[in-house]
């Protein structure tokens, strides 16, 4: 086993990763058979359990300090959680999100959502999933990922909230943050000490085209990031003692494609100065992601996992290039506050990105080895 890279006592770790991992073919086939009715729930879960045991062992063997379940029980990184919140229902029709890549555009079309009742927490979401991960790891810290409160609002905006249920929008925001606060408290009781809130909305809002889209639907694209930061903070206000919380912010990740472009400049000062998390997983794998200058706003005591290793392509980065970019980032934030990670998950939806399992493992191993050489 590769030795863990400069193992920090708490997350984010020097060598870390976002969360989702490529689904093995056996699991994809099982999910398809389950959807057809040829496999029952228990049979599917047994196959998921085996796949998760294998992927946890892989994370431990490459030398990572954290381990996720790869999000193997989910179809997508966010909607599987959001649809389980009380008051959130699937609406008729689909959402349509356009993703871009070097060959053209593709569409992501999840079911639309509607806030049709009072938002609350009917049960602890992902409770059994996290408990299985917690009991499966042997050396690593189990990490749970879930979408941030912002994602409930960003997809549909004000129009997705039933005005008969919430004539006062402030009541919606209060209920949403309260539901999240209760979810965080409950997973803390299950032993979760490493929680990540995934949030594409805050990264998207650096793109002027996304802010214009928000304006067109009736919200304020120039200032909505302040509302999102405030609501996340409200959800974190009663966080369990000892729980480390990070956020991951990328510009979209679906089948090796993306949605938004631009650096973190527009929201950087408020994001880094006001958001009450311990660390940030940020996307810096290409020119579309902008420069490191916004990192000058990260206060002492908070950490940034530089997403320098891309999950969108299988070609392996060079250690020298990664070290050079880490050195560039350290001109704006002390090296001690930096970590290394992929720019996003390898499989934000069950389809996964365009690379192989072996290429995924090689990238994780590269992160561990590079971090060990940089931080000792």
């Amino acid at each position: 086993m590769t030795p863990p890279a400069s193992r920090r006592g708490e997350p984010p770790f020097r060598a870390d990763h976002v969360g989702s991992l490529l689904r093995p073919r056996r699991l994809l086939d099982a999910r398809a058979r389950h959807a057809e009715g040829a496999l029952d729930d228990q049979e599917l879960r047994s196959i998921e359990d085996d796949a998760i045991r294998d992927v946890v062992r892989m994370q431990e063997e490459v030398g990572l300090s954290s381990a996720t379940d790869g999000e193997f029980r989910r179809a997508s990184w966010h909607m599987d959680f959001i649809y389980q919140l009380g008051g959130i229902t699937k609406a008729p029709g689909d959402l349509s999100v356009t993703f871009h890549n070097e060959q053209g555009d593709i569409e992501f079309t999840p079911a639309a959502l509607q806030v049709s009742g009072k938002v609350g927490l009917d049960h602890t979401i992902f409770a059994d999933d996290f408990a299985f991960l917690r009991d499966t790891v042997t050396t690593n810290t189990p990490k749970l990922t879930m979408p941030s409160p912002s994602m409930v609002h960003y997809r549909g905006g004000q129009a997705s909230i039933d005005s008969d249920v919430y004539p006062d929008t402030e009541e919606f925001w209060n209920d949403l943050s309260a539901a999240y606060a209760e979810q965080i408290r409950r997973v803390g009781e299950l032993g979760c000490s490493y929680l990540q809130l995934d949030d594409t909305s805050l990264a998207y809002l650096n793109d002027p085209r996304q802010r214009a889209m928000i304006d067109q639907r009736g919200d304020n694209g120039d200032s909505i990031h302040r509302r999102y930061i405030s609501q996340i903070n409200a959800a974190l206000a009663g966080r369990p003692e000892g729980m480390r919380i990070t956020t991951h912010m990328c510009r979209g990740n679906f089948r090796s494609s993306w949605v938004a472009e631009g650096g973190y400049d527009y929201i950087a000062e408020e994001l880094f100065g006001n958001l009450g998390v311990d660390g940030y997983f940020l996307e810096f794998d290409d020119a579309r992601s902008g420069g490191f200058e916004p990192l000058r706003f990260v206060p002492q005591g908070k950490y940034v996992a530089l997403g320098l290793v891309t999950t969108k392509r299988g070609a392996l980065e060079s250690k020298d290039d990664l070290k050079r970019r880490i050195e560039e980032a350290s001109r704006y934030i002390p090296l001690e506050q930096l970590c290394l990670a992929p720019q996003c998950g390898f499989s934000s939806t069950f389809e996964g990105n365009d690379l192989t399992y072996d290429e995924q493992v090689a990238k994780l191993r590269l992160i561990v080895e590079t971090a060990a050489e940089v931080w000792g």
Side-chain angles (χ1 to χ4, degrees):
M1 181 184 295
T2 306
S6 184
R7 196 186 275 270
R8 279 172 31 80
E10 53 189 9
F13 298 104
R14 293 295 185 204
D16 217 324
H17 78 103
V18 170
S20 68
L21 296 163
L22 295 172
R23 275 59 158 181
R25 173 49 55 189
R26 181 169 181 253
L27 177 56
L28 291 173
D29 290 345
R31 292 186 72 90
R33 291 171 59 210
H34 181 263
E36 294 166 357
L39 206 66
D40 66 29
D41 291 350
Q42 189 54 48
E43 289 171 319
L44 174 61
R45 192 162 189 93
S46 177
I47 293 171
E48 291 172 342
D49 288 350
D50 288 343
I52 290 167
R53 290 187 188 100
D54 289 342
V55 86
V56 167
R57 294 292 87 79
M58 179 273 287
Q59 292 169 80
E60 294 183 337
E61 287 169 3
V62 300
L64 291 165
S65 297
S66 65
T68 72
D69 64 3
E71 301 178 4
F72 280 6
R73 304 191 200 273
R74 308 184 205 180
S76 75
W77 63 275
H78 57 330
M79 303 310 289
D80 292 62
F81 179 95
I82 291 172
Y83 292 142
Q84 293 190 60
L85 286 168
I88 309 295
T89 55
K90 294 182 180 181
D94 293 330
L95 297 169
S96 181
V97 185
T98 301
F99 282 74
H100 317 288
N101 57 50
E102 289 82 358
Q103 287 73 47
D105 293 346
I106 59 175
E107 296 294 319
F108 176 54
T109 55
L113 65 85
Q114 183 174 13
V115 181
S116 55
K118 294 290 187 180
V119 177
L121 191 70
D122 299 330
H123 62 278
T124 308
I125 303 172
F126 300 154
D128 292 343
D129 302 349
F130 176 76
F132 182 84
L133 174 65
R134 177 200 65 205
D135 295 342
T136 300
V137 298
T138 60
T139 60
N140 289 21
T141 300
K143 175 181 179 179
L144 177 64
T145 63
M146 62 188 197
S148 82
S150 315
M151 300 311 304
V152 177
H153 181 267
Y154 194 81
R155 288 291 187 223
Q158 187 66 31
S160 67
I161 304 172
D162 188 329
S163 60
D164 290 335
V165 176
Y166 285 113
D168 181 355
T169 308
E170 287 300 319
E171 190 179 348
F172 159 75
W173 287 116
N174 291 339
D175 286 353
L176 179 62
S177 289
Y180 264 81
E182 178 62 10
Q183 166 75 10
I184 292 168
R185 185 191 68 78
R186 291 187 188 183
V187 297
E189 288 186 341
L190 292 173
C192 179
S193 62
Y194 188 2
L195 178 68
Q196 181 173 289
L197 299 179
D198 293 322
D199 193 317
T200 57
S201 69
L202 290 170
Y204 283 14
L205 289 168
N206 290 284
D207 187 330
R209 291 171 297 183
Q210 289 286 316
R211 298 199 298 274
M213 180 271 289
I214 296 296
D215 287 338
Q216 289 166 10
R217 75 181 191 192
D219 291 304
N220 190 327
D222 289 338
S223 64
I224 198 168
H225 64 283
R226 299 189 187 99
R227 163 64 80 173
Y228 289 168
I229 290 170
S230 173
Q231 296 307 141
I232 295 171
N233 285 344
L236 300 181
R239 58 192 283 182
E241 185 177 355
M243 179 183 285
R244 298 284 291 180
I245 299 178
T246 59
T247 185
H248 165 245
M249 292 172 290
C250 79
R251 299 157 185 84
N253 185 56
F254 173 59
R255 293 169 48 196
S256 294
S257 305
W258 66 87
V259 173
E261 300 182 20
Y264 293 97
D265 306 74
Y266 185 79
I267 67 167
E269 190 167 4
E270 287 156 312
L271 173 70
F272 298 131
N274 297 335
L275 186 62
V277 295
D278 302 301
Y280 303 83
F281 282 75
L282 302 179
E283 182 178 47
F284 287 113
D285 64 328
D286 58 18
R288 177 180 55 86
S289 309
F292 297 125
E293 291 83 357
L295 299 182
R296 70 188 185 277
F297 293 113
V298 178
Q300 187 175 3
K302 294 196 176 186
Y303 293 82
V304 170
L306 296 172
L308 302 179
V309 175
T310 191
T311 65
K312 288 183 165 63
R313 297 176 299 279
L316 196 62
E317 292 79 358
S318 80
K319 280 186 186 178
D320 287 344
D321 286 346
L322 294 178
K323 291 176 182 178
R324 176 182 54 79
R325 298 206 67 205
I326 292 169
E327 191 279 328
E328 289 175 3
S330 70
R331 299 172 192 171
Y332 303 98
I333 177 175
L335 182 64
E336 171 61 27
Q337 290 177 248
L338 292 174
C339 306
L340 181 62
Q343 109 287 349
C344 194
F346 289 89
S347 191
S348 298
T349 64
F350 72 89
E351 295 93 340
N353 282 348
D354 187 18
L355 73 168
T356 68
Y357 173 83
D358 288 342
E359 289 169 336
Q360 170 186 255
V361 174
K363 284 177 179 276
L364 293 174
R365 195 180 301 278
L366 173 66
I367 288 167
V368 170
E369 292 175 353
T370 305
E373 294 177 17
V374 170
W375 288 280

